[in-house]
Amino acid sequence: MGERGSVALHHVVDGPADAPPLVLLGSLGSALDMWAPQLPAVTESHRVIRVDHRGHGGSPVPAGPYTISELAGDVLALLDRLELDRVDYAGLSLGGMVGMYLAAEAPERINRLALMATSANYPDKTPWETRIAAVSNGGTDAVAATVVKSWFTASFAAANPDTLAWAEESVRKTPDLGYLGCCQAIRDWDHVARLGQIGAPSLMICGTGDPATPEQPHGATIANGIPGIRFELVDAAHLLNIEAAAEVNALLTEHFAD
C-alpha cells in the first residue's frame, strides 16, 4: 500500500499502555494537537495514538503529489513499528478518507471505525484546483483565513477568538509542499465504489453547519455506502470535534466501548 514507500509519521501516545489502541488522524492543515478536546474522554479506555499526516506537523515532507493510498500506507507502517495488529480508528476530514481506505483495503487492521466531517469523493474538482493554484502561488498563508472560515460556525468563531487564531496558525504552519500534496490526494480521491467493502462497525458524524463536507452529498453518500453504519448529526461546522466536543466525545466513547 503506497506507491512510493512509506514515511515515518510523527505521533504521540497517551493513555494506559495496556489499553486497546485507538488511532486519531485529523484534517488537512492541522496537526495532532487538534485532538486535545478528545483526550480526557478517550484515554480513559484506550491507548491513544495521535498522528500527523505526511507533510504536516512533525512528519516528513516528501515530494508530492500524494495519494490517499500512500497516506494509508504511512499509517500501516506506523502500526507495524508499534507492533499493533489491529486498532480502533477515528478520522476527521482527510483522516476520515484514510480511515475509509484502510477499512476497505486492509480490513484486518481496523476494529471499529469512526468518521467525522469527511467525504468519499468530490465530484467537482474545481474548488481543489483553485486551492492548489492559490497555495502554489502564495503558500498556505494565502488560504489560511478562507479555509478556517469553513472550520467553525460564525457564532463559535466570534465567541472563541483564541481557537480561531490557533486554527489559522495551524494552516499557516503546515509546509506548503505537504499541504499541496494532500490537496492533490483529496482532489483525486474516489472510494465510493469501495464503501460496501467496509465491514468494521462504523460511526459517521456530520456537522449541520459544515460547508466543506455537508451531509448532502458527502455524509449521505458514506451513510448509504457502508453497511450498518450509524449516522449522527451535531450542530457544528467542519472541525466538529472542537466545536461540539462534548457531544462528539460521548458518541466516540459509546462507539468504541461496544
Side-chain angles (χ1 to χ4, degrees):
M1 191 176 296
E3 293 80 358
R4 293 171 293 180
S6 63
V7 302
L9 297 177
H10 176 244
H11 63 285
V12 173
V13 181
D14 298 280
D18 58 349
L22 168 64
V23 171
L24 301 179
L25 198 60
S27 67
L28 173 69
S30 74
L32 52 76
D33 59 343
M34 69 165 276
W35 295 108
Q38 278 61 63
L39 280 182
V42 295
T43 53
E44 290 185 4
S45 59
H46 282 76
R47 177 190 179 195
V48 178
I49 302 105
R50 293 179 291 153
V51 183
D52 285 332
H53 293 284
R54 66 164 63 189
H56 286 63
S59 289
V61 188
Y66 310 153
T67 67
I68 300 299
S69 174
E70 289 175 327
L71 300 181
D74 294 340
V75 174
L76 288 181
L78 174 61
L79 299 186
D80 289 344
R81 289 196 301 275
L82 296 176
E83 300 182 340
L84 298 174
D85 292 333
R86 192 171 176 87
V87 298
D88 289 333
Y89 182 102
L92 187 146
S93 194
L94 178 57
M97 298 172 198
V98 173
M100 283 181 272
Y101 191 98
L102 289 170
E105 312 307 325
E108 71 282 359
R109 307 303 294 270
I110 302 299
N111 182 31
R112 288 183 172 270
L113 176 67
L115 306 170
M116 292 168 272
T118 191
S119 176
N121 173 244
Y122 286 88
D124 182 7
K125 311 299 182 186
T126 304
W128 289 106
E129 296 289 4
T130 300
R131 193 181 305 188
I132 288 166
V135 176
S136 296
N137 292 326
T140 52
D141 277 346
V143 300
T146 301
V147 166
V148 169
K149 283 184 180 179
S150 72
W151 282 12
F152 306 108
T153 60
S155 58
F156 181 89
N160 297 273
D162 290 346
T163 301
L164 191 70
W166 160 83
E168 291 190 10
E169 181 65 10
S170 179
V171 176
R172 291 191 179 97
K173 286 169 60 178
T174 303
D176 295 347
L177 289 178
Y179 194 93
L180 278 172
C182 287
C183 281
Q184 291 159 327
I186 295 170
R187 177 197 61 193
D188 299 336
W189 164 243
D190 185 353
H191 221 56
V192 175
R194 298 292 295 165
L195 292 176
Q197 300 303 308
I198 296 176
S202 300
L203 167 69
M204 175 70 194
I205 310 175
C206 278
T208 57
D210 181 5
T213 52
E215 177 186 3
Q216 296 292 341
H218 301 285
T221 297
I222 294 168
N224 291 331
I226 298 179
I229 192 170
R230 177 182 177 183
F231 182 81
E232 297 286 347
L233 285 168
V234 296
D235 290 330
H238 196 54
L239 287 199
L240 51 82
N241 71 301
I242 295 175
E243 185 165 354
E247 189 171 358
V248 168
N249 288 350
L251 290 168
L252 291 178
T253 53
E254 180 182 359
H255 180 63
F256 290 123
D258 288 347

